[in-house]
Amino acid sequence: MLRKTGVPTDDLLRQVTPSEERLRRGPVAIFECFERIPCDPCQHACPTGAVQPFEDLNDLPRVDHQLCTGCGRCIQACPGLAVFVVQEDLDECSALVGLPYEYCPLPAPGDVVTLLDRQGRAVGQGRIKKVVRPGNRGETPVVWVIVPRGLAMTVRHIRPEGENRGADQPTGGHHLPV
Amino acid sequence: MTSVLEPEVAVVGAGPAGMAAALAAAEGGADVLLIDREHRLGGQLVKQTHKFFGSSDQEAGIRGIHIAERLGERIRQHAAIRIWLGTTVIAYYPDGVLLAEKAGHGLVKAKPRCLVVATGAAERHLAFAGNDLPGVYGAGAVQTLMNVHGVLPGQRALMVGAGNIGLIVSYQLLQAGVQVVEVIEAAEEIGGYAVHAAKIRRAGVPIRTRHSVLKVEGDSCVEQAVVARLDEGWKPIPGTERVLQVDLVCLAVGLTPLTEILWQAGCRMVWVPELGGHVPVRSETLETTVPGVWVAGDAAGVEEASTAMIEGELAGLAAAHRLRPLKEFDERCRQLRQALAELRAGPLAAKVRRGLARLEGGTC
């Protein structure tokens, strides 16, 4: 289905989702990279060795979630914009998602944004916590967005309020408690 | 008519393959003439705002436009490389003379001892009613308008083709603020990398496989497009037509190698659909059947820029070695061929591997 729709199936996502225990323990990277393509920058970007060395350039990244600190360097490095960091329990009612974002203008901390799932459907509202701008190597900016608790594995993109660049989509869904 | 320049190596095309070839030849001790019809180095790299895949040992993770800047800087600093920009090669004569039209200089000539053809590829067009209306573009033209000239090609786009180019240009359109209404693909599956598809899907763009454009309508420019589902035999299914309100139809339906110079040189050419069309028969170091004429990059078969750069290096190195034997030539060739094999090892390069196998096996 991935090759027909461009959207990973639940089965594929399960394969790259850390254990419940690991998810509860703090921020961790989710590698939504399902195809063997010749590519290895994530492995070189990882400062903790959580992304295991590649035997072949076409290997899928193998991630030791126990070593991952959720720093997000892999988000900046991944050419496929396929890595996300989730922290499921930021507080009682919200989670945190770090995602790659290559659109101008970059949002600013405090901005309220529409949260989108893997199909671009609006699933609620979030608030920007932090934005990591690109360095001098053209790294991908990383946007850290506070989302309603329970949506950390759902939210994969954001849209500034009042914009609609993709196809016409219904809005609605959860709202962030203020 | 000016006198004939006699460089040791001429490289036609200053895209990823040509730039790498010029550098490798110059670093191998040759004096090099690098020719491109554009007014800047880089070829299609200058339009590639996305980060490249590949090995971190090469240029992976770097955006194409930055690769062009890096290579361009090294080329400009190399005393042995002369650059003719704004120069279109129009003929290659049996006596080894390249005839070119150089902006502001008229006709110019060069007679190199070795020639590397790195002319790249041209976009294919698609036959449908209204395909001549303003607003129907090739994906390369859309990239040129947006990424080189800063001009928006439209407001609402239909992308035809879900190979890597169609997916990447859709993403660039979104980044430029254009609404991409839909990406359609005639094949049963998305042709490009799933990660490129995922980027535009999460931005809300639908991708419909087994779909094609039937016609485009409008008074003096594109106002709407009619698309339909295709059956197993690639025929439109009656009753599945939909009208899309768009002012931009972008075609990303494949590339075909630009091989005119190779034909003129008398290289043996073979038809390999997996590589995009007619390509030259060549040796392991990319020398064609005409001694002293090499090929590299998309002109040798349509692939990725990452492979084009390695092919360019291989061809440039081989040309320099022909002029003055280089130490460790065999070892460097082996390393470059190994790097190519690695880049071509994944499942999405299966078509390229098939084409190259047919070419090497002589079964074309």
Side-chain angles (χ1 to χ4, degrees):
Chain A
M1 276 306 280
L2 175 65
R3 293 218 51 78
K4 282 194 183 173
T5 64
V7 177
T9 58
D10 291 345
D11 267 355
L12 285 172
L13 290 171
R14 263 192 293 278
Q15 291 169 22
V16 298
T17 304
S19 66
E20 290 285 327
E21 178 273 326
R22 178 61 192 87
L23 282 169
R24 271 198 303 275
R25 233 182 45 213
V28 62
I30 316 287
F31 283 65
E32 301 193 7
C33 177
F34 303 105
E35 266 177 359
R36 286 171 43 82
I37 56 177
C39 187
D40 68 356
C42 59
Q43 196 253 312
H44 294 273
C46 179
T48 68
V51 184
Q52 307 290 299
F54 283 44
E55 279 165 30
D56 182 293
L57 184 59
N58 293 271
D59 284 350
L60 295 182
R62 285 179 298 128
V63 185
D64 183 343
H65 291 124
Q66 302 305 325
L67 293 177
C68 174
T69 61
C71 71
R73 295 267 279 280
C74 46
I75 304 179
Q76 294 179 288
C78 173
L81 276 60
V83 189
F84 306 84
V85 169
V86 302
Q87 182 179 355
E88 289 213 316
D89 48 357
L90 187 64
D91 59 38
E92 278 176 12
C93 51
S94 48
L96 185 67
V97 177
L99 49 83
Y101 190 78
E102 294 184 330
Y103 295 85
C104 284
L106 284 173
D111 284 1
V112 174
V113 295
T114 302
L115 303 171
L116 306 176
D117 70 4
R118 294 180 183 81
Q119 297 177 58
R121 295 176 300 205
V123 292
Q125 274 186 327
R127 199 168 50 240
I128 303 299
K129 182 168 195 281
K130 190 169 92 170
V131 176
V132 180
R133 293 175 172 276
N136 54 12
R137 278 172 57 90
E139 294 93 338
T140 296
V142 180
V143 167
W144 296 87
V145 58
I146 301 166
V147 309
R149 202 176 161 119
L151 287 186
M153 284 302 288
T154 303
V155 171
R156 287 298 174 263
H157 196 44
I158 55 162
R159 188 166 63 212
E161 290 286 271
E163 254 188 60
N164 191 359
R165 302 194 229 211
D168 310 305
Q169 297 288 340
T171 51
H174 311 268
H175 285 265
L176 190 70
V178 179
Chain B
M1 177 84 62
T2 51
S3 61
V4 181
L5 189 74
E6 295 190 0
E8 289 180 323
V9 177
V11 179
V12 183
M19 287 198 292
L23 276 170
E27 282 162 8
D31 83 278
V32 178
L33 171 65
L34 177 60
I35 308 173
D36 198 280
R37 66 181 180 193
E38 295 298 327
H39 289 271
R40 69 175 89 192
L41 297 171
Q44 302 303 306
L45 281 178
V46 300
K47 309 174 193 173
Q48 312 304 328
T49 53
H50 62 283
K51 295 187 287 188
F52 277 33
F53 300 100
S55 167
S56 295
D57 299 339
Q58 285 126 19
E59 308 275 1
I62 315 292
R63 295 176 194 280
I65 184 166
H66 296 147
I67 297 175
E69 286 165 7
R70 285 178 181 202
L71 291 175
E73 196 55 34
R74 282 173 60 200
I75 285 172
R76 274 186 291 271
Q77 283 175 2
H78 208 297
I81 304 177
R82 180 195 289 248
I83 307 168
W84 282 359
L85 292 177
T87 304
T88 308
V89 171
I90 49 181
Y92 183 55
Y93 288 96
D95 58 358
V97 170
L98 284 168
L99 181 67
E101 195 269 324
K102 188 165 190 251
H105 294 78
L107 293 175
V108 292
K109 292 197 275 191
K111 187 175 179 181
R113 288 172 60 193
C114 299
L115 174 65
V116 180
V117 178
T119 41
E123 293 190 281
R124 295 204 184 116
H125 203 50
L126 197 63
F128 54 85
N131 71 358
D132 57 343
L133 273 175
V136 178
Y137 288 92
V142 164
Q143 282 190 307
T144 305
L145 276 176
M146 287 196 304
N147 303 353
V148 179
H149 301 296
V151 174
L152 269 190
Q155 298 296 327
R156 288 173 58 89
L158 166 67
M159 178 63 68
V160 182
N164 272 335
I165 294 178
L167 298 174
I168 288 167
V169 175
S170 293
Y171 181 61
Q172 294 177 352
L173 284 162
L174 293 171
Q175 289 177 307
V178 175
Q179 187 170 350
V180 180
V181 174
E182 203 164 304
V183 175
I184 57 172
E185 165 61 53
E188 178 140 13
E189 292 192 343
I190 293 164
Y193 292 166
V195 286
H196 283 317
K199 283 192 306 195
I200 64 171
R201 286 306 316 269
R202 61 182 182 250
V205 179
I207 302 175
R208 300 191 207 284
T209 54
R210 280 252 176 258
H211 274 71
S212 190
V213 56
L214 300 185
K215 60 180 171 180
V216 166
E217 296 170 323
D219 263 346
S220 57
C221 58
V222 174
E223 291 170 23
Q224 61 183 38
V226 180
V227 300
R229 243 185 40 231
L230 303 179
D231 65 19
E232 299 295 304
W234 303 67
K235 294 271 185 296
I237 302 173
T240 64
E241 298 87 356
R242 285 178 302 123
V243 178
L244 302 176
Q245 304 299 321
V246 292
D247 61 355
L248 168 62
V249 174
C250 184
L251 303 178
V253 292
L255 301 170
T256 195
L258 274 171
T259 54
E260 290 90 339
I261 296 172
L262 297 162
W263 285 101
Q264 281 199 346
C267 302
R268 196 175 146 235
M269 305 293 289
V270 288
W271 175 253
V272 186
E274 294 93 337
L275 298 177
H278 278 103
V279 293
V281 173
R282 66 274 194 157
S283 71
E284 277 197 323
T285 55
L286 299 171
E287 191 170 14
T288 65
T289 54
V290 175
V293 177
W294 282 263
V295 67
D298 276 0
V302 175
E303 284 190 81
E304 301 290 322
S306 45
T307 47
M309 286 185 279
I310 298 176
E311 283 197 340
E313 191 176 341
L314 187 56
L317 191 70
H321 179 69
R322 178 68 47 81
L323 295 160
R324 288 174 207 86
L326 297 169
K327 273 188 233 165
E328 295 168 9
F329 174 71
D330 291 340
E331 176 56 18
R332 284 189 64 192
C333 286
R334 195 194 59 76
Q335 286 169 2
L336 292 170
R337 280 201 299 270
Q338 169 70 29
L340 282 172
E342 242 189 340
L343 287 174
R344 291 168 176 155
L348 289 148
K351 198 168 94 170
V352 165
R353 287 200 301 275
R354 253 194 338 269
L356 290 171
R358 263 162 32 90
L359 188 61
E360 282 155 21
T363 56
C364 307

